């Protein structure tokens, strides 16, 4: 075989190889253009949390000053009743009224530790000074000194609005905007949804943390109930 | 005997001459193959619903820190246009700078936190995090009382009511370290610490190598493994460039102390959503700020102090607890 023939043979081979590659590319390109793109999301069904559940304000509504109570759909002040009817007895007793209240305030078991005996629209400090409902922290501070001092400088309690008072308004919530004065311990509450690993199917929720058996590729499953959706 | 081809000049010349047409063919085939391969490579572009509004200049721009204000404004406007096309929402994008004389600090009261996760979801909403795949900047870890061993903690708690007796809850997010390992490892300077202590990420500059995620000792960094999904009606239109503007697939993100709010004087979203008042935020350089008072008067600790990252996120607790009606004050 001459060198020339050898070379031609090589070129023929090279050529047919080139064709194979080219046809391969064309097929690949055709496949890319014809197939639908892979849908990435939603990979898992997101758990919807109602925006209104996230409350960026006070935890509860405090009694205003002067106090307003709604009785039978009518707005009343404490004195609306208490000036008409006289309280029978000025010592701790079981009440026929105010049954909606549960008094669960530790050793403080008497209404008149905080409420004024004369003017029911007022509260009272231990030294007998009548105060309005706007001075509740002072009253609470008479027993809860350390917490009151923390609250005064912003360590205890919730602050809203601006950290920088020069740039905007700052609101410091007062005691009764978080605590129910009759039952002041912060209540247990429902929690918002946890991470997706909780919803990856039977055997994955509440995984035992000592054997990391859950499979992160497992698909999301409908939770038994979703208390965070609209309408719940 | 066969001579080596190179030494047989005549034969080689003849071969070349005879093969001119073939080599042309070969070249055209290679060319066609190349074109096809290129077409195949860019074919995903045809599936993009909207061509990005970004100008070529935006794509080939300098590092964010080297941009003039004018260039930044064009960039922000182009991104706003993109967001409008993608989500159909009118948004404002700017980038407030650090306030002089301010270094942010966060303090969290472990005696008060009850693990209800309001902060987690307020953060997701405020910072336009992907709902699926799920990205959350805050992890709340349920810990058995009497231990600081995170190995005993669990993210997957799901009680009907919290707090669970004999447990406490430790939320963890970016600690805005004063000596951040995440910044040191980034090969392209896509993440850096600013004067007020907030470590930011330029999502346009990030190459998605995830070095920073590996370097962070607090699991604070989260990677977009797929296109983020955010329902249009839940987009927070109040955006900043280095914080809560929508991210793309393949970039890193993390908590930035809500800089789009805090650098305008507001409190972070997680803090305002916390029903227990366990979260405290402010200026560490102001001796009268809430955080400074806490650092001065409370017993505080930082997570993993031994790794030397010097976090600006402090945990503290009260001397006595009133939770569940126990305790006296
Ligand atoms: S907590 Fe992690 S992400 Fe945040 S600054 Fe420190 S090392 Fe970086
Ligand atoms: S993932 Fe992005 S921010 Fe993190 S190290 Fe890599 S390039 Fe830098």
């Amino acid at each position: 075989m001459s060198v020339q023939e050898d070379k031609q043979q090589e070129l023929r081979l090279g050529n047919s190889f080139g064709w194979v590659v080219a046809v391969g590319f064309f097929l690949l390109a055709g496949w890319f253009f014809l197939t639908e793109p892979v849908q990435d999301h939603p990979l898992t069904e997101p758990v919807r949390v109602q925006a209104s559940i996230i409350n960026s304000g006070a935890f509860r509504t405090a009694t205003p000053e002067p106090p307003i109570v709604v009785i039978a759909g009518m707005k009343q002040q404490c004195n609306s009743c208490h000036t008409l009817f006289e309280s029978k007895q000025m010592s701790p007793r079981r009440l026929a009224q105010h049954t909606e209240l549960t008094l669960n305030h530790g050793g403080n078991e008497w209404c008149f530790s905080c409420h004024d005996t004369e003017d029911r629209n007022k509260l009272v400090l231990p030294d007998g000074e009548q105060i309005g409902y706007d001075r509740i922290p002072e009253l609470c501070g008479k027993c809860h000194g350390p917490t009151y001092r923390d609250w005064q400088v912003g360590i205890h309690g919730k602050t809203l609005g601006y950290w920088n008072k020069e740039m905007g308004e700052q609101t410091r919530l007062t005691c009764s905007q978080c605590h129910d004065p009759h039952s002041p311990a912060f209540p247990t509450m429902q929690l918002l949804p946890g991470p997706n690993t909780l919803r990856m199917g039977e055997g994955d929720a509440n995984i035992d943390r000592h054997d990391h058996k859950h499979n992160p590729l497992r698909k999301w499953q409908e939770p038994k109930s979703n208390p965070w959706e609209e309408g719940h | 005997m066969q001579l080596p081809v190179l030494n047989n000049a005549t034969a080689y010349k003849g071969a070349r001459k005879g093969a001119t047409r073939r080599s042309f063919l070969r070249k055209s085939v290679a060319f066609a193959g190349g074109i096809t391969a290129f077409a195949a490579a860019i074919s995903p572009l045809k599936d993009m619903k909207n061509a990005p509004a970004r100008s070529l200049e935006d794509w080939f721009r300098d590092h964010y820190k080297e941009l003039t204000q004018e260039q930044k404004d064009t960039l922000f406007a182009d991104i706003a246009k993109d967001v409008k096309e993608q989500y159909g929402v009118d948004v404002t994008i700017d980038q407030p700078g650090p306030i002089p004389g301010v270094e942010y600090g966060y303090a969290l009261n472990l005696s008060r936190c009850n693990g209800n996760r309001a902060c987690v979801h307020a953060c997701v909403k405020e910072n336009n995090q992907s709902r699926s795949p799920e990205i959350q900047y805050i992890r709340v870890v349920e810990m058995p009382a009497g231990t600081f061993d995170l190995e005993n903690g669990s993210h997957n708690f799901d009680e009907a009511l919290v707090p669970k007796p004999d447990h406490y809850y430790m939320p963890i997010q970016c600690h805005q370290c004063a000596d951040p390992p995440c910044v040191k490892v980034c090969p392209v300077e896509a993440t850096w610490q600013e004067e007020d202590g907030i470590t930011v990420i330029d999502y346009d500059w990030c190459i998605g190598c995830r070095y920073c995620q590996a370097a962070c000792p607090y699991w604070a960094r989260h990677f977009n493994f797929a296109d983020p999904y955010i329902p249009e009606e839940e987009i927070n239109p109040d955006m900043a460039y280095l914080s809560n503007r929508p991210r793309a697939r393949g970039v890193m993100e993390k908590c930035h102390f809500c800089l789009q709010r805090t650098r305008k004087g507001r409190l972070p979203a997680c803090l305002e959503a916390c029903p227990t008042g366990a979260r405290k935020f402010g200026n560490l350089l102001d001796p009268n700020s809430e955080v400074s008072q806490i650092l001065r008067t409370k017993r505080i600790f930082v997570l993993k102090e031994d790794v030397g990252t010097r976090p600006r996120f402090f945990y503290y607790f009260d001397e006595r607890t009133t939770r569940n009606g126990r305790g006296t004050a």
Side-chain angles (χ1 to χ4, degrees), chain A residues 44 150 157 159 161 191 197, chain B residues 132 134 156 159 272 280 290 298:
Chain A
T44 54
D150 278 357
T159 310
L191 77 177
T197 43
Chain B
S132 176
E134 190 179 76
N156 292 301
E159 284 92 25
E272 290 206 318
K280 295 284 162 191
E290 293 181 358
K298 287 287 179 176

Side-chain angles (χ1 to χ4, degrees), chain B residues 173-177 180-183 199 215-218 220-221 254 309:
Chain B
Q173 61 207 76
C174 175
H175 286 3
Q176 313 298 353
C177 310
C182 57
V183 168
T199 291
C216 171
Y218 305 104
R221 288 184 169 246
K254 68 164 188 74
T309 47

Side-chain angles (χ1 to χ4, degrees), chain A residues 209-223:
Chain A
R209 56 181 174 267
H210 297 299
D211 64 335
H212 299 267
K213 264 199 305 208
H214 84 85
N215 172 8
L217 298 177
R218 219 145 147 183
K219 280 288 181 193
W220 179 88
Q221 291 187 351
E222 189 73 43

Side-chain angles (χ1 to χ4, degrees), chain B residues 156-262:
Chain B
N156 292 301
F157 59 94
D158 201 17
E159 284 92 25
L161 291 171
V162 283
K164 189 176 174 178
D166 295 320
H167 285 74
Y168 73 99
Y169 297 84
M170 180 188 258
I172 304 173
Q173 61 207 76
C174 175
H175 286 3
Q176 313 298 353
C177 310
D179 193 2
C182 57
V183 168
K184 283 185 229 170
V185 297
C186 181
V188 295
E189 250 187 90
T191 183
W192 64 88
Q193 186 178 182
E194 304 224 304
E195 261 110 88
D196 52 8
I198 299 179
T199 291
V200 294
I201 304 171
D202 183 347
Y203 311 117
D204 284 2
W205 209 256
C206 171
I207 56 171
C209 64
R210 300 173 60 213
Y211 283 14
C212 54
Q213 195 177 30
C216 171
Y218 305 104
W219 318 286
R221 288 184 169 246
H222 303 267
F223 189 65
N224 286 279
F225 280 102
D227 293 331
Y229 164 71
I230 314 165
E232 279 161 25
E233 68 278 9
E234 286 181 25
I235 290 272
N236 172 13
D238 212 350
M239 296 176 181
Y241 178 81
L242 294 172
S243 66
N244 63 343
R245 69 182 168 108
R247 277 72 67 182
R249 182 210 313 227
V251 302
M252 198 56 76
E253 57 180 289
K254 68 164 188 74
C255 159
H256 38 71
F257 278 1
C258 277
L259 67 81
Q260 71 280 5
R261 295 162 65 106
T262 50

